[in-house]
Amino acid sequence: MADNSQKMSYHAGEAKGQAQEKASGMMDMANNAAQSTKETMQDAGQNVQAKAQGAVDAVKNATGMNK
């Protein structure tokens, strides 16, 4: 009986370890996705800011306010 109990305990521990490893891998993937999204949004924000500044400069030039 003890032998069967030990096997069950061993397998339960194995399953727990595998589940923890899988969860860790999923967390790494989620962190990588979040970091990538953050970088993409920062780039998009910088592009929008640059285009807006270009539009402001164009209006100033067109109206003669940039002298």
Side-chain angles (χ1 to χ4, degrees):
M1 232 3 145
D3 189 38
N4 194 25
S5 177
Q6 287 175 334
K7 284 181 182 177
M8 289 176 59
S9 179
Y10 173 79
H11 290 300
E14 256 190 343
K16 179 181 176 187
Q18 289 172 356
Q20 287 173 332
E21 184 62 31
K22 186 173 184 178
S24 177
M26 292 175 75
M27 286 300 295
D28 287 345
M29 288 174 51
N31 285 335
N32 290 342
Q35 182 65 30
S36 178
T37 300
K38 176 184 172 188
E39 291 169 3
T40 299
M41 294 305 291
Q42 286 175 334
D43 288 346
Q46 289 172 353
N47 286 339
V48 168
Q49 186 177 14
K51 288 180 182 180
Q53 185 61 51
V56 167
D57 291 342
V59 169
K60 284 183 179 180
N61 288 335
T63 60
M65 295 175 62
N66 206 15
K67 294 183 179 180

